[in-house]
């Protein structure tokens, strides 16, 4: 990652999610997400076509994964609650 990019993240109070090149831990949360959606949705049904599969996946992500499913990496909350918490912290820093 460039030093300029890292500087912008720090100035905004954000934490960089990627580390050095070839570090396997960079993708662990993304890989966990894809494993979960495959196990909980894709492998449990047969879809009529690609569009129907896309619709089911979108529904799963928007209405279950992001709004109801608890995630250990963010304090056992659904992902849609995590940005709200970050926004509160950021607003508190500005005041």
């Amino acid at each position: 990652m460039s030093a300029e990019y890292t500087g912008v993240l720090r100035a905004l109070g954000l934490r960089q999610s990627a580390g050095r090149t070839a570090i396997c831990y960079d993708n662990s949360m993304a890989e966990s997400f894809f494993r979960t959606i495959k196990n909980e949705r894709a492998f449990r049904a047969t879809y009529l076509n690609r569009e129907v599969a896309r619709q089911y996946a979108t529904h799963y992500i928007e209405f279950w994964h992001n709004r109801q499913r608890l995630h250990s990496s963010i304090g056992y909350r659904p992902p849609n609650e995590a940005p709200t918490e970050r926004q509160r912290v950021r607003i508190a820093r500005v005041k």
Side-chain angles (χ1 to χ4, degrees):
M1 307 306 295
S2 73
E4 182 180 351
Y5 178 74
T6 301
V8 170
L9 291 176
R10 284 189 183 142
L12 294 171
L14 300 174
R15 186 176 60 180
Q16 189 171 341
S17 65
R20 299 184 316 268
T21 302
I23 300 298
C24 64
Y25 304 109
D26 292 348
N27 295 324
S28 64
M29 290 184 82
E31 289 176 9
S32 175
F33 166 76
F34 286 113
R35 181 186 67 238
T36 300
I37 195 169
K38 287 177 183 178
N39 288 330
E40 292 183 6
R41 177 57 61 182
F43 297 151
R44 293 180 183 225
T46 302
Y47 303 101
L48 296 174
N49 57 46
R50 190 176 282 239
E51 179 59 23
V52 172
R54 186 192 65 77
Q55 290 173 2
Y56 273 92
T58 300
H59 186 269
Y60 169 84
I61 293 166
E62 291 298 326
F63 294 99
W64 170 248
H65 190 273
N66 289 346
R67 297 180 189 194
Q68 298 178 32
R69 189 173 191 281
L70 304 180
H71 298 262
S72 61
S73 62
I74 54 174
Y76 293 96
R77 295 179 296 169
N80 70 327
E81 290 181 11
T84 304
E85 182 65 27
R86 282 194 295 267
Q87 288 170 350
R88 278 191 231 138
V89 170
R90 193 174 300 137
I91 290 169
R93 287 183 188 165
V94 172
K95 289 182 179 181

